[in-house]
Amino acid sequence: MSEYVRPRDLHEALALRAEHPDWMPLAGGTDLMVTANHKVAPIGILDLWRLDGLGSIHVEQGVVAIGAGATWLEVQRHEVIAQELTPLAAAAREIGALQIQARGTIGGNVGTSSPVGDSLPVLLALDATIEVASAARGRRRVAYSAWCTGYRQTGLAADELIVALHVPLPSRGTRTMWRKVGTRRAQSISKVMGAAAIVLDGDVVTSARIALGAVADRPIRIAAVEAAVVGKSRAQAAEAARAAVRATIKPIDDVRSTSAYRLAVAENLVARFFMA
Ligand SMILES: Cc1cc2nc3c(=O)[nH]c(=O)nc-3n(C[C@H](O)[C@H](O)[C@H](O)COP(=O)(O)OP(=O)(O)OC[C@H]3O[C@@H](n4cnc5c(N)ncnc54)[C@H](O)[C@@H]3O)c2cc1C
């Protein structure tokens, strides 16, 4: 039988995490419970669902701070996120069905760090920062671009918890986009998904952040595309982006899709970001 503790606040949760680094933090449980019957039961469960101090979303000085415990429903319904962080709101609307969106959290998506985690390319394209905390060392922030260290591996230490995601509001004139391609339009796991933040001066691209998911062991930004498009018109940038994707990524091959299909979709998806 596993131990089970539901801390009252973050302070208590961090103390328990330090004391029991081998216990499993549980938020909505929508990732963890899927395979629960086929795995050895964890020694203990640290239940973070609805923990005080982990769920709030607030905007301060041009940055949206999203508590790790915020659900996808809360993310998509937040007024500022819906209006200003449209790729994140769009990804939130496409994560599973309503039941999953009401229970699954952003911290859980980032904690699992699956290559098909839909929010992850968005966090890369929007240049997010992740805030973690431990009882011993307090809070620290990590650029999301440095967070994923391998297949389902992250920079979270054994005594830390994810506290929040900080997402800067895009500057006026930045176009942000999100696109997910799966087996069908709704309720599917991504074959390829991506997000973009593109800055234009008239029709000319001045900078771009382009991220893809489900093509590698972790979500990736594609520096070759970002370099190839600067100074080009949108039409030229779309073709340069297509060529750069083809030259630089070697998508994974698995039960959901072949590498060749993923490559073709990734090329089209990224090219279309520049024509949207
Ligand atoms: C039917 C179904 C459909 C789904 N569809 C999609 C989809 O379309 N797109 C998609 O991206 N995902 C999908 N998922 C996966 C899942 O719903 C999401 O990844 C969700 O965001 C996970 O959040 P959670 O709160 O349920 O995480 P949990 O299952 O509670 O936890 C996930 C991991 O994160 C860790 N964790 C959670 N919170 C913290 C914290 N604060 N600090 C440290 N570690 C933490 C846990 O220990 C665990 O390792 C689907 C799942 C199901 C069952």
Side-chain angles (χ1 to χ4, degrees), residues 24-32 34 48 54 68 72 94-96 100 103-105 107-109 111-112 116-118 156 161-162 180 188-189:
M24 184 180 78
L26 175 95
T30 62
D31 269 327
L32 289 170
V34 172
L48 305 176
L54 273 199
W72 291 117
E94 294 195 36
I95 290 182
I100 295 295
R103 184 80 196 184
T105 64
N109 210 233
T112 298
V116 294
D118 279 327
L156 190 74
L161 290 172
I162 303 163
K180 166 171 174 169
S188 68
I189 300 292

Side-chain angles (χ1 to χ4, degrees), residues 10 20 26 35 58 60 73 104 116 135 144 155 158 174 192 205 260 262:
L10 185 58
H20 306 284
L26 175 95
T35 53
H58 61 272
E60 210 175 297
L73 209 52
V116 294
Y144 188 72
T174 302
V192 177
V205 177
R262 282 193 164 105

Side-chain angles (χ1 to χ4, degrees), residues 28-69:
T30 62
D31 269 327
L32 289 170
M33 300 317 287
V34 172
T35 53
N37 289 338
H38 311 291
K39 285 191 176 160
V40 179
I43 299 167
I45 294 174
L46 185 59
D47 188 353
L48 305 176
W49 177 245
R50 286 303 184 226
L51 185 74
D52 221 20
L54 273 199
S56 74
I57 303 177
H58 61 272
V59 187
E60 210 175 297
Q61 296 183 335
V63 175
V64 185
I66 308 169

Side-chain angles (χ1 to χ4, degrees), residues 125 175-180 193-198 200 209-212 225 234 238 241 266-276:
R175 294 179 179 208
T176 59
M177 282 147 282
W178 154 258
R179 183 77 207 277
K180 166 171 174 169
M193 77 298 210
I198 298 171
L200 294 173
R209 279 194 303 272
I210 307 292
L212 288 175
V225 170
R234 289 194 306 141
E267 285 177 27
N268 288 337
L269 192 150
V270 172
R272 283 181 198 170
F273 281 151
F274 292 90
M275 299 309 291

Side-chain angles (χ1 to χ4, degrees), residues 129-214:
T129 303
I130 187 158
E131 182 180 352
V132 298
S134 67
R137 299 177 302 285
R139 295 180 182 231
R140 69 181 174 105
R141 292 191 186 195
V142 187
Y144 188 72
S145 53
W147 176 249
C148 303
T149 53
Y151 177 71
R152 290 177 178 252
Q153 301 291 316
T154 72
L156 190 74
D159 63 346
E160 287 178 324
L161 290 172
I162 303 163
V163 175
L165 277 304
H166 298 267
V167 189
L169 292 171
S171 61
R172 214 169 269 282
T174 302
R175 294 179 179 208
T176 59
M177 282 147 282
W178 154 258
R179 183 77 207 277
K180 166 171 174 169
V181 177
T183 315
R184 52 181 186 264
R185 190 72 188 89
Q187 294 188 44
S188 68
I189 300 292
S190 294
K191 288 173 186 279
V192 177
M193 77 298 210
I198 298 171
V199 183
L200 294 173
D201 180 4
D203 189 50
V204 175
V205 177
T206 58
S207 71
R209 279 194 303 272
I210 307 292
L212 288 175

